[in-house]
Amino acid sequence: MSPPASRAHWSTRLAFILAAAGSAVGLGNIWKFPYITGMNGGGAFVAVYLVCIAAVGLPIFIAELYIGQKAQANVVRAFEATHRPGSPWRFVGWMGLLSAILILSFYSVVGGWVLDFVYRSLTNQFAGHSDEEIKGVLGTLFSSPGRQLFWHALFMGGTVAIVLQGLKEGLERWNRILMPALFVLLLLLLGRALFLPGIGKALTFLFVPDASRLTAAGVLEAVGHSFFTLSLGMGAIITYGSYLGSREALTRTALSVAALDTLIALTAGTVIFSVVFTYGLDAGSGPTLMFQTLPMLFARLPGGYLVSLAFFLLVTFAALTSAISLLEVMVTYWVEQHGKPRKQTALVLGALVYGMGILSALSTNLLAHVKLLGHTFFDLADKTTSSLTLPLGGALISIFFGWVLGPQAAEEVVGPRFKWAARPLMWTARVLAPLAVAVVLVRGLREW
Ligand code: PFF
């Protein structure tokens, strides 16, 4: 094991917050949250999701930041550095690496779909077309292996290109401009959605829980998604935390990122479902939901061409800032543990992930009939991470923080001003979070 070279650090606290928010806010918020909410019947699912973010996600976010910053090391060594050399907890880090590879492999494919929609927007393929034609656009992409692989390559190439430049050069600067831009555009779309006739139904669907529509598998999906959307349970936040110099205000940072992430997901959900209920679409249509609803709205907006282009570009960027955090987990590990140069590592790992992603890209065409455990490769990569390795990793990180690092870590992390919060935080990490995950995993996996 070679010792870490002197580590880079975020240049300001704001740069770090934006990068962490960049990792959290991504396809999970704008694409995945609305469609899994639709498939799981709406309000009750959203309620479980919100409780999970507050009661489970937030404490684990704080724990990951603390572990990363204290250790100043990659996801595997972080557990050794904060515990002891050779600690068995390092296996949680290994599992995190596996999750990162799996997630990025299908994430990049969906990133590719978004790029295809950037292209469609640019070439004005929504305005003036019938709803049926617009709904068919994604189908055309799905049935074309070459097209899927092309966009997947472009997305993965972009991710690698940013990561190989290191922490500060591209990332910090772009995050600062584009993340707020995405938020503003979403708010503008929300402004439009509020005047659609379907808005009332959309808000009822999202915010009035109907417990009868919730299944155990749905609860597991909500728990899993709270990890996915906050980038938890696999070391992205540990890795980003390891580039933090001083220990100020970890708790506040975690709170702001979680709040922003949740707000963006709920806003995207409101916009998408108001379109769904206005045009009589199927709320439970699955992963195609965002790609079929929003272009219908864009096609009817004055200036819809520009709005559509801006929207898909910003979603591309949100996806990229998340994808780089996934690749960064692996690259940081490889560079530190094996002493390899960053550029070469990013290229090799990027190629590896691209290769795995091919299986997901072909899951809607050539390999659509190949099922493992009843799922296509795409669904399997998504489900094993969201419903298994992320919650499991998160629960173990929580136990590590609560029991191994213990009261001292909890006190350090909340700081002297909020000393009273140390015990509740520690007990949440020790018992509440792991127990919630364990119950849900056992019940949900049976229905899986
Ligand atoms: N949080 C990202 C999203 O919601 O799109 C996905 C993600 C990024 C998951 C980074 C895990 C991760 F480490």
Side-chain angles (χ1 to χ4, degrees), residues 255-297:
L255 260 172
S256 9
V257 173
L260 185 73
D261 189 81
T262 308
L263 217 59
I264 293 191
L266 293 176
T267 310
T270 307
V271 175
I272 287 177
F273 285 110
S274 63
V275 179
V276 165
F277 291 113
T278 299
Y279 301 120
L281 306 172
D282 174 14
S285 65
T288 55
L289 189 67
M290 172 185 95
F291 295 96
Q292 296 182 329
T293 47
L294 292 181
M296 283 190 197
L297 181 62

Side-chain angles (χ1 to χ4, degrees), residues 137-300:
V137 169
L138 195 64
T140 315
L141 172 64
F142 277 7
S143 58
S144 163
R147 204 172 168 117
Q148 288 248 34
L149 291 180
F150 171 74
W151 293 120
H152 169 40
L154 208 64
F155 187 86
M156 203 58 222
T159 307
V160 169
I162 299 176
V163 170
L164 58 76
Q165 289 179 37
L167 205 62
K168 296 193 182 173
E169 295 312 314
L171 245 193
E172 285 193 10
R173 207 173 8 158
W174 285 101
N175 259 323
R176 208 173 294 225
I177 307 165
L178 292 167
M179 290 306 297
L182 174 68
F183 199 46
V184 170
L185 191 68
L186 264 180
L187 282 178
L188 286 177
L189 289 177
L190 180 68
R192 178 65 191 93
L194 290 177
F195 293 97
L196 288 176
I199 183 71
K201 274 194 185 160
L203 292 176
T204 310
F205 182 73
L206 277 173
F207 297 111
V208 180
D210 171 1
S212 69
R213 303 184 70 176
L214 199 62
T215 58
V219 175
L220 175 59
E221 184 132 38
V223 174
H225 189 64
S226 67
F227 285 95
F228 184 86
T229 192
L230 291 178
S231 306
L232 295 177
M234 42 73 61
I237 301 302
I238 293 184
T239 305
Y240 272 18
S242 78
Y243 291 124
L244 258 181
S246 64
R247 194 172 305 116
E248 43 155 347
L250 293 188
T251 309
R252 225 176 55 210
T253 305
L255 260 172
S256 9
V257 173
L260 185 73
D261 189 81
T262 308
L263 217 59
I264 293 191
L266 293 176
T267 310
T270 307
V271 175
I272 287 177
F273 285 110
S274 63
V275 179
V276 165
F277 291 113
T278 299
Y279 301 120
L281 306 172
D282 174 14
S285 65
T288 55
L289 189 67
M290 172 185 95
F291 295 96
Q292 296 182 329
T293 47
L294 292 181
M296 283 190 197
L297 181 62
F298 300 148
R300 291 172 167 85

Side-chain angles (χ1 to χ4, degrees), residues 262-426:
T262 308
L263 217 59
I264 293 191
L266 293 176
T267 310
T270 307
V271 175
I272 287 177
F273 285 110
S274 63
V275 179
V276 165
F277 291 113
T278 299
Y279 301 120
L281 306 172
D282 174 14
S285 65
T288 55
L289 189 67
M290 172 185 95
F291 295 96
Q292 296 182 329
T293 47
L294 292 181
M296 283 190 197
L297 181 62
F298 300 148
R300 291 172 167 85
L301 283 181
Y305 171 80
L306 279 181
V307 180
S308 177
L309 187 60
F311 177 80
F312 285 113
L313 272 174
L314 290 171
V315 176
T316 304
F317 193 79
L320 268 176
T321 52
S322 301
I324 52 178
S325 71
L326 286 158
L327 188 57
E328 184 65 39
V329 173
M330 304 175 230
V331 168
T332 303
Y333 167 76
W334 230 265
V335 167
E336 283 183 5
Q337 217 71 356
H338 300 288
K340 296 273 187 255
R342 169 175 273 271
K343 282 201 171 120
Q344 187 189 328
T345 309
L347 282 169
V348 171
L349 289 172
L352 178 84
V353 175
Y354 179 75
M356 279 196 53
I358 292 178
L359 295 175
S360 288
L362 300 185
S363 286
T364 53
N365 41 67
L366 297 180
L367 299 180
H369 59 285
V370 179
K371 301 268 164 76
L372 293 172
L373 303 171
H375 298 287
T376 59
F377 285 110
F378 182 101
D379 288 344
L380 198 67
D382 181 1
K383 282 207 177 262
T384 8
T385 46
S386 276
S387 302
L388 183 65
T389 62
L390 294 189
L392 192 62
L396 290 171
I397 290 169
S398 187
I399 293 172
F400 180 76
F401 178 81
W403 292 101
V404 179
L405 303 181
Q408 197 202 335
E411 266 178 36
E412 259 180 61
V413 89
V414 295
R417 252 180 70 203
F418 297 98
K419 209 164 176 241
W420 57 267
R423 279 180 74 83
L425 175 68
M426 186 184 74

